[in-house]
Amino acid sequence: MRSVVLAALIAGTALPALAQELNIYSHRQPMLIDPLLEAFTAETGIKVNSAYINQGMVERLQAEGERSPADIVLTVDIARLGQIKDAGLLQPVEDAALETIPAGLRDADNEWFGVTTRARIVYASKDRVADGEVTTYEDLADPKWKGRICSRTFGNDYNIALTAAYLAHHGEEATREWLTALRANLAKKPEGNDRAQVKSIWAGECDISIGNTYYMGVMLNDPEQKEWAESVRIVFPTFEDGGTHVNVSGVGMTKAAPNREAALQFMQFLVSPEAQRIYAESNNEFPVIDGVPRSELVASWGEFTPDALALPEVSDLRPAALKLIEEVNFDG
C-alpha cells in the first residue's frame, strides 16, 4: 500500500462521517507500517490512506484545525504522543479492547495508547567490554567509562525520555550529577543517530553506546550495517531501584477525525493478536498484549524486566529533563 498526500487527495474537505475510509498521519515510514495497514484493509474492507510526516505533525494538525482529514496519528516515542495531546489535538477513546494495554503504557485520559514497546539499552563491544561490566544506567557515570561512550544528542526525544525516567527515580540533583558525569565519559561530541554510535563502536572510537533495541534488527537487515551490528551485543541495563527503561510506539484518534467509526475499528485492530504480531515483527519491537510472542530475532536478544514507572509520568517530566540536559550543556 503506497502512501498518499492527504491534502491533495481530499482537497481540503472532510469525508462523509460514514465513509469506509481511514486517514492516518504517521511518524513511521510507509514500508514499516504498510503490512499492518494491508492486513487491516483485508479484514475490514476499509481503505487506508497514510501520510508520512517525519517532522511538524503538531503544526500541521493545528493549521488544519477542524477541517483536518486525519483520523489517526501513529507516532514513535512518548514525547511525540505527549506533544500532540498537550496541543489539544486528540480525543479520549474508551473501549474495552484498548483497556487490555497495560495501564502504564497508555494515557490516563485515554487520549493515546502504546501499541508496541522498545527498550533503551546499551550496545557493547563484544571485543572490549566484558560480560557484566555494565549493568545499570547509573553505572554509565562511573569514571571507568571515560572516553569510552558514544551518544547521539541528549536533546533527542529518546534520550530526553531516558533522562526523565532517571529524574523520576532519583530526583533533580542526582540527575544533574549523572548527566554531568556521563558527559565527561563521552569519547566525542554527541552526533548522529543510534546506528551511527554502533558504527563508532565497530570503528574502535568507543566501547559502548545507548540505543533502542529495534535498531539491531534494522542493522542486521542492511548489508552495509550488518558488520556494525555483529560487533556488539545488547545489554539490558536497569535503574538501581527499577527495571529497564522502555518507550512506546503509539496511536491516538484526532479530535477532528472525520471517520471516527473506522478510526475506532483500527485502534481495536491494533491490539488484536494478528496486528500485534505484524506490527512488532515489522519493527523489531515488543508486543504490548500478553500472550503474543516476540519475533524469533527479538526473542534472541534475551529477557529483561521492564521498568515499572508509568510512561505518562515520564512524559510529564520531559520539560524538567530537557532543562537539566541544557543546564549541563550535554550536547555542547
Side-chain angles (χ1 to χ4, degrees):
M1 180 179 301
R2 62 185 179 86
S3 295
V4 296
V5 178
L6 294 176
L9 174 70
I10 302 175
T13 61
L15 296 175
L18 297 180
Q20 289 299 293
E21 193 155 333
L22 180 71
N23 303 315
I24 295 175
Y25 284 177
S26 173
H27 279 133
R28 306 210 96 147
Q29 297 180 7
M31 64 181 180
L32 297 178
I33 63 170
D34 279 353
L36 182 75
L37 305 187
E38 290 167 359
F40 174 70
T41 296
E43 179 173 304
T44 65
I46 297 174
K47 177 185 176 183
V48 180
N49 309 304
S50 66
Y52 172 51
I53 304 175
N54 185 36
Q55 301 290 336
M57 186 181 291
V58 169
E59 292 77 9
R60 179 163 175 172
L61 288 168
Q62 287 175 326
E64 292 170 344
E66 295 180 358
R67 297 176 65 83
S68 176
D71 301 298
I72 288 288
V73 292
L74 281 176
T75 74
V76 290
D77 186 71
I78 184 66
R80 300 188 187 188
L81 289 164
Q83 289 165 358
I84 297 170
K85 177 190 174 179
D86 291 346
L89 298 168
L90 300 177
Q91 61 176 290
V93 179
E94 296 187 8
D95 183 80
L98 298 174
E99 291 177 1
T100 61
I101 300 170
L105 301 178
R106 50 186 166 93
D107 178 45
D109 299 320
N110 295 317
E111 292 192 22
W112 59 258
F113 302 84
V115 291
T116 59
T117 64
R118 75 287 295 270
R120 193 83 178 141
I121 48 85
V122 165
Y123 287 107
S125 169
K126 290 179 179 178
D127 296 331
R128 300 184 301 276
V129 180
D131 287 338
E133 192 172 350
V134 56
T135 58
T136 68
Y137 297 109
E138 291 84 353
D139 182 57
L140 298 175
D142 192 306
K144 72 182 181 182
W145 296 111
K146 189 171 181 63
R148 299 177 66 191
I149 300 177
C150 286
S151 176
R152 73 191 303 166
T153 66
F154 255 62
N156 171 267
D157 285 335
Y158 303 147
N159 284 334
I160 295 173
L162 175 61
T163 305
Y166 197 100
L167 181 60
H169 279 284
H170 296 298
E172 180 178 330
E173 187 54 37
T175 303
R176 183 183 290 107
E177 292 174 357
W178 178 72
L179 288 167
T180 301
L182 175 55
R183 182 180 187 274
N185 286 340
L186 295 178
K188 59 181 182 176
K189 182 178 178 178
E191 61 181 357
N193 57 25
D194 284 356
R195 283 172 286 168
Q197 314 315 312
V198 176
K199 181 182 181 182
S200 292
I201 295 174
W202 167 78
E205 297 173 348
C206 52
D207 294 341
I208 63 173
S209 69
I210 305 170
N212 288 343
T213 42
Y214 61 81
Y215 285 119
M216 177 61 85
V218 174
M219 290 185 290
L220 289 172
N221 287 319
D222 186 319
E224 178 185 353
Q225 299 177 9
K226 185 177 181 180
E227 192 173 357
W228 311 349
E230 291 176 341
S231 74
V232 299
R233 65 178 178 276
I234 287 177
V235 177
F236 291 97
T238 64
F239 292 106
E240 290 177 351
D241 59 347
T244 299
H245 173 63
V246 297
N247 210 319
V248 294
S249 62
V251 65
M253 186 187 300
T254 68
K255 182 173 287 188
N259 303 295
R260 300 187 184 193
E261 182 179 344
L264 178 58
Q265 288 186 61
F266 181 72
M267 295 175 78
Q268 293 168 333
F269 174 73
L270 286 179
V271 294
S272 68
E274 178 189 10
Q276 283 281 293
R277 179 189 60 78
I278 293 171
Y279 203 23
E281 288 189 0
S282 297
N283 296 285
N284 300 296
E285 293 180 321
F286 304 98
V288 299
I289 302 301
D290 288 341
V292 179
R294 302 173 186 177
S295 71
E296 183 176 348
L297 174 62
V298 173
S300 73
W301 299 337
E303 295 298 322
F304 69 100
T305 301
D307 195 34
L309 189 65
L311 287 184
E313 182 178 352
V314 175
S315 181
D316 290 343
L317 288 172
R318 286 189 69 262
L322 179 58
K323 181 180 178 182
L324 289 172
I325 292 167
E326 292 174 342
E327 278 183 12
V328 305
N329 193 28
F330 194 98
D331 298 327

